[in-house]
C-alpha cells in the first residue's frame, strides 16, 4: 500500500512539473520600460507569456520589500525596468532604484533565491526589441531553474 501511494505521489509530482509555467513579475516604469513593452506589443514582437506587468510611475518607486514579498507569494522571477541612467523623468529615481536593487540582490541571496531570478534593466520607450529579448531570456532561465522556493539556497 505504501509503495502504491509513493508511485501515485510520484506520478502526481511529475504531472505538476509538466504543467508548471513560470511567473515573471515585472515592475516597469511608466515613461520608459512600460512604453518599451507597449512598442514591442504594437510591433508584434513576440515575448514570453510568463510576464505579468505592474506599471509604476518610476523605478525609484520600487521598494525592496515589494520584490521580496512577490517571491514569498510564489512568483518565480522579478524584472525591474526603468529609464536609462540620466533619463529618469523624476531626475534621480533610477539612481535610487539602482542603489536599492543592490540590497535586493543581497536579500534574495540570503533567502536562497538564485541570481537568474532577478534582473534590473534600463529599457527606453524606443527599445521594444530589448524588452522582448530581456523577457524571453529571463523566462528561459526560469524554466531552466524550475519553480522558485525561498530558503532552498
Ligand atoms: Fe523611468 Fe524614473 S521615470 S526610471
Amino acid at each position: 500500500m505504501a509503495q502504491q501511494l509513493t508511485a501515485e505521489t510520484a506520478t502526481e509530482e511529475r504531472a505538476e512539473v509538466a504543467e508548471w509555467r513560470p511567473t515573471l513579475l515585472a515592475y516597469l516604469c511608466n515613461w520608459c520600460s512600460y512604453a518599451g513593452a507597449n512598442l514591442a506589443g504594437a510591433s508584434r514582437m513576440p515575448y514570453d507569456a510568463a510576464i505579468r506587468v505592474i506599471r509604476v510611475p518610476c523605478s525609484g518607486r520600487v521598494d525592496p520589500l515589494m520584490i521580496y514579498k512577490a517571491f514569498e507569494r510564489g512568483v518565480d522571477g522579478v524584472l525591474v525596468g526603468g529609464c536609462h541612467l540620466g533619463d529618469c523623468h523624476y531626475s534621480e529615481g533610477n539612481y535610487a532604484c539602482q542603489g536599492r536593487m543592490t540590497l535586493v540582490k543581497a536579500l534574495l541571496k540570503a533567502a536562497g533565491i538564485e541570481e537568474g531570478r532577478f534582473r534590473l534593466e534600463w529599457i527606453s520607450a524606443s527599445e521594444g526589441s530589448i524588452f522582448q529579448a530581456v523577457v524571453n531570456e529571463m523566462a528561459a532561465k526560469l524554466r531552466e531553474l524550475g519553480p522558485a522556493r525561498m530558503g532552498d539556497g
Side-chain angles (χ1 to χ4, degrees), residues 4-83:
Q4 189 180 12
L5 282 177
T6 305
E8 285 171 14
T9 307
T11 306
E12 284 171 18
E13 280 176 11
R14 275 197 298 275
E16 276 177 30
V17 170
E19 284 173 22
W20 176 79
R21 291 192 174 97
T23 304
L24 170 58
L25 183 66
Y27 293 107
L28 303 179
C29 106
N30 179 54
W31 302 99
C32 289
S33 300
Y34 187 82
N38 255 346
L39 178 63
S43 308
R44 297 177 186 259
M45 297 173 182
Y47 56 83
D48 203 286
I51 193 166
R52 301 288 179 273
V53 173
I54 295 179
R55 179 162 48 164
V56 292
C58 171
S59 65
R61 173 65 184 80
V62 181
D63 186 285
L65 269 183
M66 291 159 70
I67 297 168
Y68 190 86
K69 283 186 179 291
F71 278 108
E72 231 178 23
R73 290 176 186 177
V75 303
D76 301 298
V78 174
L79 166 67
V80 176
C83 308

Side-chain angles (χ1 to χ4, degrees), residues 41-142:
S43 308
R44 297 177 186 259
M45 297 173 182
Y47 56 83
D48 203 286
I51 193 166
R52 301 288 179 273
V53 173
I54 295 179
R55 179 162 48 164
V56 292
C58 171
S59 65
R61 173 65 184 80
V62 181
D63 186 285
L65 269 183
M66 291 159 70
I67 297 168
Y68 190 86
K69 283 186 179 291
F71 278 108
E72 231 178 23
R73 290 176 186 177
V75 303
D76 301 298
V78 174
L79 166 67
V80 176
C83 308
H84 286 275
L85 294 174
D87 289 345
C88 175
H89 287 234
Y90 303 97
S91 180
E92 295 179 354
N94 50 7
Y95 284 100
C97 175
Q98 192 176 38
R100 288 184 198 125
M101 294 310 122
T102 305
L103 171 65
V104 165
K105 286 179 185 171
L107 269 174
L108 296 180
K109 190 175 178 185
I113 297 292
E114 300 94 334
E115 220 174 279
R117 294 189 186 277
F118 172 73
R119 270 170 77 167
L120 169 63
E121 293 287 341
W122 310 131
I123 302 169
S124 78
S126 64
E127 293 175 331
S129 60
I130 292 177
F131 175 80
Q132 176 194 38
V134 167
V135 170
N136 289 343
E137 279 171 26
M138 275 198 86
K141 183 68 181 173
L142 297 180

